[in-house]
Amino acid sequence: MPTENMGSDPGTVRGSDPNRRLGVLISGRGSNLQAIIDAIAAKRLNAELAVVISNRPDAAGLKRARDARVDTLVLDHTDKARFATREDYDRHLVRELNQRNVRLVCLAGFMRLLTNVFLDAYPNAIVNIHPSLLPSFPGTNAQYQAWEHGVKWTGATVHLVTAELDGGPIVMQEPVPVKDGDDVDTLAARILEREHYLYPLAIQLLLNGGWRIEGRRFLAI
Ligand code: GRF
């Protein structure tokens, strides 16, 4: 059965959904967050940044959000008094996102596995960017994995998030060549530049609607 359901209101025609509120989740540098902020400012991305949430108090991306006057929140996963289990943590996240009426959750270097508590609250409404052409090189250090394997092309993938690690429906991909003289850092920088181009485009596509999921395929209606 094809589905297109972003967030708590499944089954509606998304192209006409006026809610364009994003929640961006980060753990570190936040350069993809910056790309989203810049794309919104330049009106290349018709969206509203409702909140940036970090699981790390020292994430550099928090400053980027504050500089852009975006609401920020730190939910420190190491605070076991507050979050005894992963489910407790995710319940809290969902509550914060719901309170802000977030329609699409964008993972941008958020280094945590999500539980069903989170996945079930936002069916087909959590999106991630990964620095390889999935399904090649899932998991951490994807740029190193590609470089070490010796592939001639790698890239970036934006995909919907499911219980399968880096395995949800692929929304958009961007290829990147691997050059003979590359080390991991030069390759990672070339991929990152394409990530910054790709992620706002894919978010726009998701918010615009007119798509459906068939099996694991993301398709235009
Ligand atoms: C990016 O390479 C992204 O593909 C991966 O984590 C990294 C986050 O970088 N999921 P940044 O924090 O957006 O700069």
Side-chain angles (χ1 to χ4, degrees), residues 16 30 38 68-69 78 82 92 113 161:
S16 61
D38 293 347
R69 303 194 183 288
T78 63
R82 268 181 102 191
H92 206 100
L113 296 175
V161 176

Side-chain angles (χ1 to χ4, degrees), residues 113-169:
L113 296 175
L114 311 186
T115 69
N116 283 334
V117 169
F118 196 173
L119 296 170
D120 293 347
Y122 282 88
N124 287 332
I126 308 172
V127 63
N128 183 42
I129 184 151
H130 182 80
S132 76
L133 290 179
L134 291 170
S136 290
F137 314 123
T140 54
N141 293 324
Q143 304 95 329
Y144 175 79
Q145 292 184 54
W147 177 83
E148 193 272 333
H149 192 96
V151 294
K152 300 300 184 192
W153 287 88
T154 182
T157 301
V158 175
H159 65 93
L160 295 174
V161 176
T162 62
E164 187 188 345
L165 178 68
D166 297 327

